[in-house]
Amino acid sequence: GDARWYVVRNAAELLGELKVAEAEPALTPLLEHADDRVRSAAANALARIGAGPRRRLRRTAAPASGDGHGSSSRSVHSLIRALEREGDTRVQVALIAALGQLGTTQAVDKLVEIARTERGLLARQRPTPLTMQRLHDQPRRDRLALVELFPRK
């Protein structure tokens, strides 16, 4: 790999944009990269790959499951492990968004756990304009579920 963070970030973004499923094993270690921008790009890429067209078709045919096999399940596991270790709030938000995009049972369970934890990420901060834009970009049914995760004051 290239030592320059921006080259690695750009490669991760491109692999996610193209939904290159074969790139998942190379993207997973980037969740531990020294640069937060690379970690965020890797999380977004894994979500895009796992939530690609085939995943959306499966979701309409059957309920999402985190127990099955395939790249979506592996991505969720990697994202959850990375989230549990991550200290940077911006990367945590990217990891949470990635879990929301994948939408497997395991991902949703983790999101509910985060929302219920008194000292969880969502309890510590108000939504930013970028968070609100990302929320707006989600399908309506997902958007309604995500709004419920924000703290009420």
Side-chain angles (χ1 to χ4, degrees):
D2 200 292
R4 297 169 293 185
W5 69 266
Y6 54 89
V7 173
V8 178
R9 181 210 52 205
N10 291 349
E13 288 176 348
L14 182 60
L15 291 167
E17 185 70 29
L18 296 174
K19 295 179 175 69
V20 180
E22 297 81 9
E24 185 179 355
L27 288 167
T28 301
L30 296 181
L31 294 170
E32 298 178 27
H33 194 276
D35 192 281
D36 63 315
R37 295 163 286 197
V38 173
R39 294 192 307 271
S40 292
N44 292 330
L46 286 168
R48 292 186 83 136
I49 290 168
R54 287 177 291 171
R55 173 78 180 124
R56 277 192 221 97
L57 289 174
R58 267 193 317 224
R59 193 180 305 178
T60 58
S65 170
D67 307 332
H69 305 347
S71 72
S72 212
S73 181
R74 286 189 305 272
S75 292
V76 168
H77 182 70
S78 298
L79 291 166
I80 288 173
R81 280 194 352 252
L83 181 60
E84 290 169 351
R85 291 187 306 265
E86 185 57 56
D88 186 293
T89 303
R90 289 179 303 172
V91 179
Q92 289 173 338
V93 169
L95 291 164
I96 288 169
L99 288 170
Q101 286 178 334
L102 290 171
T104 66
T105 302
Q106 186 182 15
V108 171
D109 289 347
K110 185 62 177 180
L111 294 173
V112 169
E113 176 189 326
I114 291 167
R116 289 187 177 154
T117 302
E118 186 176 314
R119 292 182 296 161
L121 177 67
L122 296 176
R124 290 195 315 246
Q125 68 182 39
R126 293 175 168 262
T128 64
L130 178 59
T131 303
M132 296 308 293
Q133 179 60 46
R134 286 184 176 164
L135 183 62
H136 181 267
D137 293 342
Q138 297 297 313
R140 189 173 195 285
R141 73 172 201 291
D142 295 344
R143 190 170 46 227
L144 294 173
L146 290 169
V147 165
E148 293 297 316
L149 296 176
F150 288 111
R152 291 189 172 95
K153 300 252 175 182

